[in-house]
């Protein structure tokens, strides 16, 4: 999702500038900054001046500074969280975000004319922004245009809003402070139900989910997922029904069941409860069964692994994880662990060509598993015929690869023998052999003598 559409263009440039300087070691050549941001000298000086004199000055929570001297742009070393905090400041002052709030939650309930006056924009500008926001919101769920299953529009909106708020507010603050008290009660109720400590990142996700859910319910926008899945009633989960009956304004039992089912759906997607708490419809279950069969056969028959070294339990475990991965990530996108330049590219600019370091490292270490992961991801995502992007396919492929690396034993990797011979120079051979062991995958075996057995001779 292109979250950057909710932030003003100049503020996006400021974030890109800070991230670029950080990547250069907290100091970057002036000309390199111009090239990276594709702006003029005047614009760069303007951005730096606004950051230094307005955005960062006097802000105790953001103890940063930025300056230009000796043909360099430098800033104080900062943490990832501080950059996210600045991003949130920019979001909350953005007219795009305020239009988003009004359209999605009618938060203030004020007449449009009052909103226009308060934000000094024309009616034409308001509708222009709204059109741009709809292009963002349409991207939110890659199952939205599936021709296999019908996803309710309200479910897609809830997912969209939850993703947006977690991207910007997650781990920093709650988007709707007026709901803090009931949200705290909700977190306590979930913790009691799970009967285990809830981690800080889980608390943040649950709080974000519940606040969005409650805001939509207060607008009498209810979700209906009965044709997709239904919750299984268990004694341990009854406390959830009781909480919603007392703390949430619902009209009837049908709405109560559907909203609690939606909570189960979310908790399963985050690994808080098992998938056994939901009963899928026959149509959804049929396609998931196809996935399970395919993954099992692929792992058992692939030529990319020594399958005789794979146990049935390992294949079953991988199959179960892969089945979940094929559809849960399509819904909730809670990635805030890192930032790239593309996070700060405006809607009228092309994406910056860059690859994920962790994905690249893992792919280079396990090239055979990368090929297998690509095949599995492609099939898994095709089950529901979603309208998806290459970027999203890459993210799911990485998820598949991490599952395979975690489950597939080293013995099941097909070994590659490298026979290294450097004119009998033992010192050179030994040195190069040690270097190769450090940079080549774990299934590479290096021999100091040239033999017929070697798969590769150097």
């Amino acid at each position: 999702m292109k979250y950057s559409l909710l932030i003003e263009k100049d503020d996006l440039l400021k974030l890109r500038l800070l991230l670029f300087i950080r990547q250069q070691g907290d100091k970057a050549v002036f000309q390199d900054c111009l090239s990276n941001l594709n702006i003029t000298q005047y614009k760069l000086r303007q951005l730096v001046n606004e950051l230094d004199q307005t955005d960062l000055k006097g802000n105790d929570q953001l103890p940063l500074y930025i300056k230009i001297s000796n043909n360099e742009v430098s800033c104080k070393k900062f943490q990832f969280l501080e950059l996210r905090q600045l991003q949130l400041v920019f979001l909350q002052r953005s007219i795009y975000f305020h239009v988003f709030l009004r359209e999605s939650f009618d938060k203030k309930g004020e007449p449009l004319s009052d909103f226009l006056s308060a934000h000094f924009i024309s009616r034409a500008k308001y509708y222009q922004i709204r059109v741009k926001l709809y292009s963002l919101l349409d991207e939110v769920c890659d199952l939205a245009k599936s021709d296999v299953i019908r996803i309710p529009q309200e479910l897609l909106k809830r997912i969209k809003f939850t993703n947006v708020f977690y991207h910007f507010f997650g781990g920093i603050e709650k988007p709707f402070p007026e709901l803090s008290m009931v949200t705290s009660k909700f977190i306590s109720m979930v913790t009691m139900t799970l009967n285990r400590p809830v981690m800080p990142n889980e608390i943040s996700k649950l709080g974000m989910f519940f606040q969005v859910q409650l805001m939509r319910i207060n607008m009498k926008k209810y979700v209906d997922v009965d044709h997709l899945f239904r919750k299984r009633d268990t004694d341990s989960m009854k406390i959830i029904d009781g909480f919603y009956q007392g703390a949430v304004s619902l009209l009837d039992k049908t709405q109560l069941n559907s909203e609690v089912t939606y909570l189960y759906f979310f908790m399963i997607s985050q690994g808080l409860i098992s998938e056994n708490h939901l009963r899928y419809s026959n149509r959804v279950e049929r396609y998931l069964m196809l996935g399970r069969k395919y993954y099992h056969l692929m792992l058992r028959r692939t030529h990319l692994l020594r399958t005789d070294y794979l146990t049935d339990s390992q294949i079953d475990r991988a199959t179960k994880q892969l089945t979940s991965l094929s559809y849960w990530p399509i819904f909730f996108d809670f990635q805030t662990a890192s930032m790239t330049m593309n996070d700060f590219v405006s809607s009228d600019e092309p994406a910056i060509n860059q690859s994920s370091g962790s994905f690249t490292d893992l792919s280079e270490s396990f090239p055979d598993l990368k090929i297998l992961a690509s095949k599995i991801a492609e099939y898994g995502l095709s089950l529901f015929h979603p309208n998806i992007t290459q970027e999203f396919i890459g993210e799911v492929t990485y998820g598949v690869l991490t599952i395979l690396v975690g489950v597939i034993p080293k013995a099941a990797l097909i070994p590659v023998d490298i026979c290294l011979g450097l004119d009998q120079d033992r010192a050179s051979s030994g040195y190069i052999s040690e270097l190769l062991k450090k940079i080549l995958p774990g299934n590479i075996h290096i021999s100091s003598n040239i033999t017929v057995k070697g798969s590769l001779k150097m």
Side-chain angles (χ1 to χ4, degrees):
M1 184 189 298
K2 206 170 182 62
Y3 298 107
S4 60
L5 195 59
L6 291 171
I7 299 180
E8 303 281 357
K9 187 173 182 178
D10 276 7
D11 288 339
L12 289 174
L13 285 171
K14 294 172 187 175
L15 292 169
R16 277 178 60 184
L17 175 61
L18 288 170
L19 185 59
F20 177 70
I21 296 172
R22 186 177 190 270
Q23 292 173 345
Q24 302 302 307
D26 307 317
K27 185 182 294 184
V29 176
F30 188 87
Q31 187 60 45
D32 290 345
C33 294
L34 295 177
S35 300
N36 183 268
L37 272 63
N38 193 27
I39 57 176
T40 64
Q41 290 189 29
Y42 173 80
K43 188 64 177 180
L44 178 57
R45 293 183 185 280
Q46 180 189 47
L47 295 175
V48 171
N49 184 63
E50 288 179 4
L51 277 168
D52 184 54
Q53 297 298 317
T54 305
D55 303 324
L56 303 177
K57 190 173 183 178
N59 191 331
D60 294 335
Q61 292 186 337
L62 295 170
L64 307 176
Y65 71 82
I66 185 169
K67 64 180 180 179
I68 300 175
S69 62
N70 300 324
N71 201 35
E72 291 181 328
V73 185
S74 60
C75 66
K76 177 184 176 182
K77 188 171 184 178
F78 57 88
Q79 301 299 317
F80 168 68
L81 178 60
E82 292 172 323
L83 190 61
R84 289 195 59 232
Q85 288 172 330
L86 182 60
Q87 177 184 245
L88 182 57
V89 170
F90 290 159
L91 173 81
Q92 291 173 321
R93 75 185 189 189
S94 168
I95 184 60
Y96 293 92
F97 180 62
H98 287 286
V99 172
F100 166 77
L101 281 179
R102 190 178 190 281
E103 287 292 314
S104 304
F105 299 99
D106 193 22
K107 191 168 182 285
K108 295 181 179 179
E110 62 184 347
L112 178 58
S113 57
D114 292 350
F115 179 90
L116 299 178
S117 298
H119 295 280
F120 306 102
I121 62 171
S122 66
R123 188 177 296 268
K125 179 65 174 178
Y126 179 89
Y127 287 116
Q128 180 185 7
I129 292 173
R130 193 171 71 168
V131 169
K132 283 188 176 182
L133 291 178
Y134 279 143
S135 69
L136 162 82
L137 304 182
D138 284 345
E139 297 176 3
V140 68
C141 177
D142 295 300
L143 277 180
K145 298 177 181 177
S146 168
D147 56 9
V148 172
I149 56 175
R150 179 179 61 84
I151 307 295
Q153 284 300 309
E154 179 60 23
L155 176 63
L156 296 179
K157 287 182 179 181
R158 298 273 189 96
I159 292 167
K160 161 187 59 186
F161 299 151
T162 305
N163 287 341
V164 167
F165 284 119
Y166 189 80
H167 177 81
F168 290 109
F169 289 82
I172 302 176
E173 61 183 70
K174 296 290 190 298
F176 304 108
E178 66 271 23
L179 300 178
S180 295
M181 184 175 296
V182 68
T183 302
S184 296
K185 293 179 180 178
F186 170 77
I187 298 296
S188 298
M189 178 273 299
V190 171
T191 303
M192 190 182 307
T193 302
L194 297 177
N195 195 28
R196 69 165 177 84
V198 182
M199 298 296 103
N201 67 315
E202 294 173 337
I203 291 175
S204 181
K205 292 175 184 179
L206 283 165
M208 213 68 61
F209 166 87
F210 180 68
Q211 288 204 344
V212 170
Q213 182 186 35
L214 197 54
M215 287 294 293
R216 295 297 290 179
I217 290 174
N218 290 341
M219 293 176 63
K220 302 190 184 308
K221 302 291 186 181
Y222 307 110
V223 69
D224 180 10
V225 292
D226 278 359
H227 68 288
L228 295 175
F229 36 72
R230 297 184 180 185
K231 67 184 179 72
R232 297 181 190 272
D233 292 318
T234 60
D235 291 339
S236 62
M237 304 293 280
K238 283 183 178 179
I239 188 175
I240 295 179
D241 286 9
F243 174 84
Y244 273 76
Q245 286 175 342
V248 181
S249 300
L250 293 165
L251 296 179
D252 55 41
K253 188 175 181 180
T254 301
Q255 293 168 352
L256 172 69
N257 286 333
S258 196
E259 292 293 345
V260 174
T261 299
Y262 176 51
L263 171 63
Y264 283 22
F265 169 82
F266 175 77
M267 293 173 71
I268 291 171
S269 77
Q270 302 306 305
L272 295 170
I273 59 176
S274 73
E275 295 186 23
N276 296 330
H277 286 86
L278 283 185
R279 289 184 288 111
Y280 298 102
S281 69
N282 292 336
R283 188 175 182 82
V284 173
E285 185 59 43
R286 184 164 64 250
Y287 283 96
L288 294 180
M289 183 62 71
L290 287 175
R292 294 186 192 103
K293 289 181 179 179
Y294 175 83
Y295 303 144
H296 195 278
L297 286 174
M298 173 70 80
L299 292 173
R300 180 53 74 193
R301 297 181 180 179
T302 180
H303 297 295
L304 296 169
L305 295 173
R306 300 165 75 183
T307 54
D308 51 324
Y309 284 86
L310 280 173
T311 65
D312 290 339
S313 63
Q314 288 169 336
I315 290 179
D316 290 342
R317 183 153 58 98
T319 297
K320 182 177 180 181
Q321 293 182 38
L322 291 171
T323 303
S324 293
L325 187 70
S326 67
Y327 58 96
W328 288 124
I330 295 176
F331 290 101
F332 292 101
D333 169 28
F334 284 163
Q335 300 300 316
T336 62
S338 62
M339 281 183 170
T340 68
M341 289 296 181
N342 280 321
D343 290 324
F344 309 131
V345 173
S346 61
S347 59
D348 55 354
E349 294 180 284
I352 298 171
N353 185 21
Q354 56 183 16
S355 59
S356 168
S358 55
F359 189 19
T360 302
D361 293 343
L362 205 57
S363 299
E364 291 176 349
S365 297
F366 302 95
D368 292 348
L369 292 185
K370 165 60 170 59
I371 296 172
L372 183 59
S374 296
K375 292 182 177 180
I376 290 174
E378 182 179 349
Y379 179 83
L381 289 174
S382 71
L383 283 174
F384 298 110
H385 301 186
N387 178 28
I388 56 179
T389 63
Q390 286 299 315
E391 181 182 5
F392 184 78
I393 293 174
E395 291 173 359
V396 175
T397 301
Y398 176 63
V400 172
L401 182 56
T402 57
I403 289 174
L404 295 178
V405 170
V407 175
I408 305 299
K410 185 176 180 180
L413 301 176
I414 296 178
V416 176
D417 297 295
I418 294 181
C419 300
L420 186 65
L422 293 175
D423 298 328
Q424 308 303 317
D425 186 342
R426 290 189 176 184
S428 298
S429 294
Y431 173 71
I432 294 177
S433 174
E434 290 303 314
L435 286 179
L436 290 174
K437 287 178 182 178
K438 291 181 179 179
I439 63 176
L440 291 176
N443 58 327
I444 297 293
H445 303 286
I446 299 175
S447 170
S448 59
N449 298 313
I450 298 179
T451 64
V452 177
K453 180 183 176 183
S455 302
L456 178 66
K457 299 179 176 63
M458 299 178 65

